[in-house]
């Protein structure tokens, strides 16, 4: 009995082997400084039929995969701002439909040009229009950019794409290849079902969400279980009525987005999301037969280049025409530089109908592997790519960028202090300075944070602190302090480069004052000193020092204790 047969004896043994393989591949990817999703894709391919062939419990793995998708979209929905959705709805619809139309038309023409028949070209053209919501959301979440303007716009046109997927599947079902509950579904039935679900979500938010979660929060474990149950329930309903699991999971999160416990829920479900998404990539890899990939190598290369360049380009053009800045359009455009797992499903449906041959699935599969892997790096290093291409992107920005003014709410008064990063630390610093009658200008690229500061009556400027053009527009020349509280997240990007960029851009932007930067560790503090930062803020250390001072004030025999501590430290040294 070989190793594969031994592993296949039980589902538990099989999943254990997959987890061990994921840990090993993930560790190698970490040593090579590769994004985690690339490691996940590699695990899927290695465990599939063309690799180690250890995936046999397909139903169990598919179940875990679907649950991971539901939790992922739930966590996106729970952080959505309904008012923000209304404000970006127009650009989401325009970019979503524009990208679908552009990709399908050009993709169809490419198919004809390389000698494919009309039907095959049409199927491939439609398949190329779908982008992977799961991969994009995971990458943006890892980079903490899902709340940024370009992240929210990307999420909006991904939803539009998902609706196009639904329509495409319904059209295929109508001509006899559908299966299950959706076989006899019509567009009107799906639309009415979606409207009914949306009405229920609004009713739930208005009358049920807050009192229900308040009671559930008395047992935090029960609150988490309920959140998972709601994500799975809405995803199942979405799949049953023809909207898709993604839309259902997203609405499940939106239903709880107004509750005061959403941050706690999101924090607890994050690790579960990452664990379950591993099985999504394993399930995807188990469906890929690498022996089919070589039959249309030239065509796959052409289609891959088109998706990697053409899709971001059309998004950049549409957003530029609508008045968004070239940076926002570029970063949003990079998110659609890949095809989706639904592309493979769509082609498989065409094969079952007899419209296309098996080799077309191999072509689209190869396009999927290339574009998913390449776009992962493009999104991960999006800011570096923007810096590289920024000199030639001026054609894609209307003068003044009317939809995205860099200082939307700035009162025009001179601000001696400018704060980069409007999180808890930045807000606390600004509030205390304002209480001392010192004007503060807050800078962030999270629209929700901007809105929160405006509610508090503080001046704000929306933008990215690594954008040279944006920094040049800030009133740096009259500022005495620039305080950066932007946190450092380990996303595979060199953290020192970001800090160096902030220091360089503020100095070249005319800033002559002093620069203060928050640090999370002693190593970061040493790096910041080398960069010439004037004041290093260590929130955890500073808070601990202040806490010790307050505690010592309430304890007797303080002089004797200090002497003992000094003797103790002397012995240790």
């Amino acid at each position: 009995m070989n190793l594969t047969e031994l592993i296949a004896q039980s589902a538990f043994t099989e999943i254990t082997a997959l987890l061990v393989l994921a840990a090993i591949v993930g560790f190698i990817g970490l040593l090579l400084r590769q994004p985690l999703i690339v490691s996940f894709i590699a695990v899927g391919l290695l465990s599939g039929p063309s690799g180690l062939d250890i995936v046999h419990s397909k139903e169990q793995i598919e179940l875990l995969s679907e649950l991971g998708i539901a939790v992922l979209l739930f966590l996106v929905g729970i952080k959505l701002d309904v008012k923000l959705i209304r404000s970006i709805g127009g650009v989401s619809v325009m970019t979503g439909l524009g990208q679908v139309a552009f990709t399908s038309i050009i993709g169809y023409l490419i198919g004809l040009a390389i000698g494919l028949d009309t039907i095959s070209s049409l199927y491939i053209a439609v398949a190329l229009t779908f982008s992977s919501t799961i991969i994009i959301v995971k990458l943006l979440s890892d980079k903490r950019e899902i709340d940024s303007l370009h992240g929210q716009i990307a999420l909006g046109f991904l939803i539009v794409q998902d609706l196009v997927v639904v329509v495409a599947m319904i059209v295929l079902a109508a001509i006899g290849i559908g299966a299950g509950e959706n076989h006899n579904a019509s567009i009107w039935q799906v639309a009415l079902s979606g409207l009914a679900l949306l009405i229920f979500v609004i009713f739930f938010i208005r009358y049920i969400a807050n009192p229900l979660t308040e009671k559930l929060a008395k047992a935090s474990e029960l609150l988490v279980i309920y959140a998972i149950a709601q994500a799975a329930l809405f995803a199942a309903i979405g799949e049953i009525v023809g909207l898709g699991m993604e839309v259902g999971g997203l609405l499940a999160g939106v239903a709880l987005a107004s509750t005061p416990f959403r941050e706690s829920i999101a924090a607890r479900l994050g690790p579960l999301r990452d664990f379950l998404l591993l099985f999504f990539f394993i399930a995807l890899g188990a469906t890929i037969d690498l022996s089919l990939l070589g039959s249309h190598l030239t065509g796959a290369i052409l289609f891959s280049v088109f998706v990697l360049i053409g899709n971001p380009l059309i998004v950049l053009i549409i957003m530029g025409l609508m008045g968004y800045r070239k940076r926002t359009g570029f970063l949003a455009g990079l998110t659609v530089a890949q095809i989706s797992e639904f592309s493979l499903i769509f082609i498989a449906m065409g094969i079952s109908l007899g419209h296309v041959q098996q080799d077309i699935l191999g072509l689209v599969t190869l396009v999927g592997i290339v574009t998913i892997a390449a776009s992962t790096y493009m999104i991960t290093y999006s800011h570096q790519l923007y810096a590289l291409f920024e000199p030639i992107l001026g054609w894609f920005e209307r003068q003044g960028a009317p939809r995205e003014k860099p200082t939307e709410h700035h009162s025009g008064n001179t601000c001696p202090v400018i704060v980069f990063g409007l999180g808890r630390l930045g807000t606390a610093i600004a509030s205390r300075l304002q209480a001392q009658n010192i004007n503060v200008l807050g800078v962030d690229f999270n629209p929700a944070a901007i809105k929160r500061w405006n509610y508090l009556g503080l001046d704000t400027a929306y933008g990215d602190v690594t954008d040279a053009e944006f920094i040049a527009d800030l009133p740096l020349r009259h500022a005495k302090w620039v305080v950066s509280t932007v946190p450092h997240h380990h996303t595979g990007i060199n953290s020192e480069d970001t800090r160096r960029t902030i220091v360089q851009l503020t100095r070249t932007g005319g800033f002559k004052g002093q620069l203060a930067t928050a640090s999370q560790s002693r190593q970061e503090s040493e790096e910041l000193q080398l960069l010439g930062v004037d004041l290093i803020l260590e929130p955890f250390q500073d808070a601990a020092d202040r806490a010790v001072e307050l505690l010592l004030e309430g304890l007797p025999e303080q002089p004797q204790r200090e002497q003992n501590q000094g003797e103790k430290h002397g012995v240790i040294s």
Side-chain angles (χ1 to χ4, degrees):
M1 180 180 295
N2 57 36
L3 180 61
T4 301
E5 294 174 343
L6 181 65
I7 291 174
Q9 283 188 336
S10 72
F12 181 80
T13 304
E14 182 179 324
I15 291 178
T16 300
L18 291 172
L19 291 176
V20 171
L21 179 63
I24 294 173
V25 174
F27 181 68
I28 294 174
L30 181 65
L31 293 178
L32 297 176
R33 302 179 65 84
Q34 302 303 305
L36 185 60
I37 281 186
V38 172
S39 299
F40 280 3
I41 294 173
V43 172
L45 293 174
L46 286 173
S47 60
S50 300
L52 300 175
D53 193 22
I54 58 177
V55 179
H56 299 280
S57 303
K58 294 184 179 180
E59 291 184 0
Q60 293 88 335
I61 291 175
E62 187 67 28
L63 175 62
L64 293 172
S65 168
E66 292 175 349
L67 186 58
I69 294 171
V71 172
L72 173 68
L73 273 298
F74 171 85
L75 290 178
V76 173
I78 204 172
K79 294 187 177 182
L80 280 184
D81 186 335
V82 177
K83 294 181 180 179
L84 181 62
I85 293 175
R86 288 201 298 264
S87 67
I88 66 174
V91 67
S92 296
V93 171
M94 291 296 294
T95 51
L97 295 180
Q99 181 265 321
V100 167
F102 171 82
T103 303
S104 57
I105 293 172
I106 302 301
Y108 176 73
L109 296 177
I110 292 176
L112 294 178
I114 63 175
L116 297 177
D117 61 83
T118 302
I119 298 297
S120 296
S121 298
L122 181 60
Y123 267 88
I124 293 174
V126 176
L128 295 181
T129 63
F130 309 147
S131 300
S132 179
T133 302
I134 293 89
I135 292 175
I136 294 169
V137 170
K138 178 67 169 64
L139 287 170
L140 291 178
S141 298
D142 288 346
K143 294 184 67 179
R144 272 62 173 188
E145 292 183 3
I146 197 69
D147 294 325
S148 66
L149 181 60
H150 69 268
Q152 295 289 287
I153 291 174
L155 180 61
F157 59 65
L158 286 172
I159 294 174
V160 173
Q161 284 188 359
D162 286 343
L163 295 178
V164 173
V165 173
V166 171
V167 174
M169 296 298 185
I170 291 172
V171 170
L172 291 181
I175 58 177
I177 66 168
E181 295 85 353
N182 294 331
H183 178 71
N184 297 317
S186 69
I187 294 178
W188 288 110
Q189 287 175 327
V190 173
L192 291 175
S193 299
L195 180 62
L197 185 59
L198 185 61
I199 292 174
F200 175 76
V201 169
I202 295 173
F203 176 82
F204 185 91
I205 294 172
R206 180 68 179 82
Y207 298 104
I208 301 176
N210 282 338
L212 177 61
T213 53
E214 186 175 349
K215 291 184 180 299
L216 290 171
K218 294 179 181 180
S220 57
E221 295 85 355
L222 183 59
L223 180 63
V224 173
I225 292 173
Y226 171 77
I228 298 173
Q230 180 159 312
L233 176 62
F234 276 59
I237 293 174
E239 186 175 31
I240 290 171
V241 302
L243 287 171
M245 292 178 56
E246 291 81 2
V247 175
L250 188 73
L251 290 176
V254 172
L256 295 180
S258 62
T259 67
F261 306 101
R262 69 174 191 169
E263 296 297 337
S264 175
I265 294 173
R268 287 174 174 266
L269 290 187
L272 176 63
R273 171 203 63 194
D274 295 336
F275 172 74
L276 292 175
L277 281 181
L278 169 64
F279 294 96
F280 163 77
F281 290 99
I282 291 174
L284 183 61
T287 64
I288 296 176
D289 186 354
L290 296 180
S291 64
L292 299 175
L293 302 186
S295 57
H296 288 287
L297 184 59
T298 302
I301 294 174
L302 288 175
F303 282 122
S304 297
V305 172
F306 167 63
V307 171
L308 291 170
I309 299 176
N311 280 358
L313 187 63
I314 188 59
V315 171
L316 179 60
I317 292 173
I318 294 174
M319 291 185 63
L321 292 174
M322 295 187 69
Y324 285 89
R325 303 180 71 200
K326 58 187 180 184
R327 184 183 185 86
T328 304
F330 182 85
L331 297 179
L334 289 183
T335 62
V336 293
Q338 83 288 118
I339 65 173
S340 168
E341 64 282 356
F342 286 114
S343 304
L344 305 180
I345 297 173
F346 185 79
I347 297 297
M349 294 175 73
I351 293 174
S352 66
L353 184 63
H355 285 172
V356 295
Q357 301 300 315
Q358 188 75 22
D359 59 335
I360 299 300
L361 179 61
L363 186 156
V364 176
T365 299
L366 184 55
V367 173
I369 294 173
V370 172
T371 57
I372 289 174
S375 67
T376 297
Y377 292 102
M378 291 167 66
I379 297 173
T380 301
Y381 298 100
S382 58
H383 297 282
Q384 288 89 332
L385 287 174
Y386 175 78
L388 179 64
F389 291 105
E390 188 272 336
I392 62 174
L393 295 178
W395 296 95
F396 303 100
E397 181 177 284
R398 286 172 55 186
Q399 186 173 4
R403 288 291 296 271
E404 192 180 346
K405 297 184 183 301
T407 55
E408 295 174 352
H409 303 284
H410 180 43
S411 65
N413 298 328
T414 299
C415 294
V417 180
I418 300 177
V419 178
F420 293 164
L422 310 187
R424 287 182 295 178
L425 178 60
T427 300
I429 292 173
S431 298
R432 285 160 176 77
L433 289 173
Q434 289 281 96
Q436 301 295 324
N437 296 319
I438 298 175
N439 290 332
V440 181
L441 175 64
V443 180
D444 206 307
F445 73 163
N446 183 345
I450 292 288
K451 187 176 298 183
R452 183 172 62 249
W453 265 49
N454 293 332
Y455 179 78
L456 296 174
L458 299 170
D459 290 334
T460 58
Y462 169 81
D464 193 323
V465 295
T466 62
D467 183 355
E469 292 184 4
F470 170 72
I471 291 295
D473 290 334
L474 294 175
L476 290 170
R477 296 182 183 277
H478 305 290
K480 302 300 181 183
W481 278 99
V482 165
V483 182
S484 174
T485 65
V486 178
H488 166 50
H489 301 290
H490 298 278
T491 60
I493 301 173
N494 190 330
S495 59
E496 185 177 349
D497 290 342
T498 302
R499 292 195 291 259
R500 189 183 303 276
T501 299
I502 292 175
V503 173
Q504 291 176 344
L505 292 182
T506 51
R507 296 303 184 190
T508 57
F511 178 62
K512 304 298 183 183
Q514 293 180 290
L515 180 64
T517 304
S519 169
Q520 306 299 324
S521 67
R522 186 66 61 183
Q523 179 181 356
E524 283 190 26
S525 298
E526 293 174 356
E527 293 174 353
L528 292 170
Q529 286 180 339
L530 295 176
L531 291 176
V533 174
D534 300 290
L535 175 63
I536 298 173
L537 307 175
E538 297 183 335
F540 296 109
Q541 296 295 332
D542 296 341
D545 292 340
R546 179 56 180 160
V548 170
E549 291 178 5
L550 295 174
L551 291 172
L552 290 178
E553 290 178 0
L555 294 176
E557 302 178 0
Q558 182 175 344
Q560 181 64 33
R561 182 176 293 101
E562 289 179 348
Q563 181 179 353
N564 293 340
Q565 289 292 332
E567 293 174 355
K568 179 180 178 181
H569 288 305
V571 172
I572 294 175
S573 61

